[in-house]
Amino acid sequence: MIDTKTLTQLGAHVETPQSPDAAILETVPFARADGPPAIVRFTCPEFTSLCPVTGQPDFAHIVIDYAPDALLVESKSLKLFMTSFRNHGAFHEECTVMIGRRIVAATKPLWLRIGGYWYPRGGIPIDVFWQTGAPPEGVWLPDTGVAPYRGRG
C-alpha cells in the first residue's frame, strides 16, 4: 500500500491554481520491474490556455508519454496543473514545453515526450513536440493517436 499522507491534493477539495507556477505537481513512489520500462500516457484532449497577445482562448490536444523511474506524477495534481493554464497567457510552444519540463522536474523520469496538437489560430494549426532524448531501449511506444489537422476535409 502506498503511503498517501504526504499528498495534499488527492482526496481533498482543492481550488484550481491561478497559474502553472502556483500549481504543485505531486508524486508517488513507483517500483520499477525488471525488463524494459513501462510507458505511462496522459491524454488531455480539451487543454485550454490563453493567447498572450489577445487573451482569447487557445485549445489543444496534449499527449504525454513517459517512462517513470522511481516516481509517478499523481494524476489529480497533474489535472490541476493542466487546468491552471486556462488563466495563463503563453504561446503554444511555451505551454507545451513548460508542461514537459515541469513533469520532468517533478518525477525525474527515464524518458518523456509530449505532443501538443493545437487547434488553428489565424487559420494555422500548430503542433509542438518535445522530448528528453531517445526513448529507452525495448519499450513499446504506440502512436499518439492524434491525426494531423485536416479541417473539414
Side-chain angles (χ1 to χ4, degrees), residues 3-90:
D3 180 11
T4 59
K5 292 181 187 114
T6 61
L7 299 175
T8 63
Q9 300 172 90
L10 185 62
H13 174 76
V14 181
E15 296 292 328
T16 300
Q18 289 301 302
S19 71
D21 291 336
I24 299 168
L25 280 175
E26 296 187 324
T27 61
V28 294
F30 178 65
R32 234 170 38 87
D34 292 337
I39 298 295
V40 176
R41 172 170 287 172
F42 290 106
T43 305
C44 186
E46 297 176 347
F47 182 84
T48 307
S49 66
L50 298 175
C51 172
V53 177
T54 66
Q56 295 295 309
D58 286 323
F59 303 94
H61 186 143
I62 305 285
V63 179
I64 303 160
D65 291 319
Y66 77 110
D69 190 11
L71 296 171
L72 298 170
V73 66
E74 191 282 311
S75 62
K76 181 176 181 180
S77 73
L78 179 66
K79 291 172 196 172
L80 289 164
F81 171 62
M82 299 296 275
T83 302
S84 74
F85 280 86
R86 290 181 179 168
N87 300 317
H88 181 71

Side-chain angles (χ1 to χ4, degrees), residues 70-137:
L71 296 171
L72 298 170
V73 66
E74 191 282 311
S75 62
K76 181 176 181 180
S77 73
L78 179 66
K79 291 172 196 172
L80 289 164
F81 171 62
M82 299 296 275
T83 302
S84 74
F85 280 86
R86 290 181 179 168
N87 300 317
H88 181 71
F91 291 112
H92 303 330
E93 298 83 354
E94 181 184 346
C95 287
T96 305
V97 174
M98 178 191 289
I99 294 165
R101 289 187 188 278
R102 282 287 301 276
I103 295 169
V104 167
T107 65
K108 298 173 183 41
L110 301 171
W111 174 81
L112 178 139
R113 77 174 175 188
I114 183 169
Y117 301 85
W118 293 83
Y119 292 92
R121 177 197 286 172
I124 300 174
I126 299 172
D127 296 338
V128 181
F129 306 100
W130 183 81
Q131 68 183 34
T132 59
E137 190 173 324

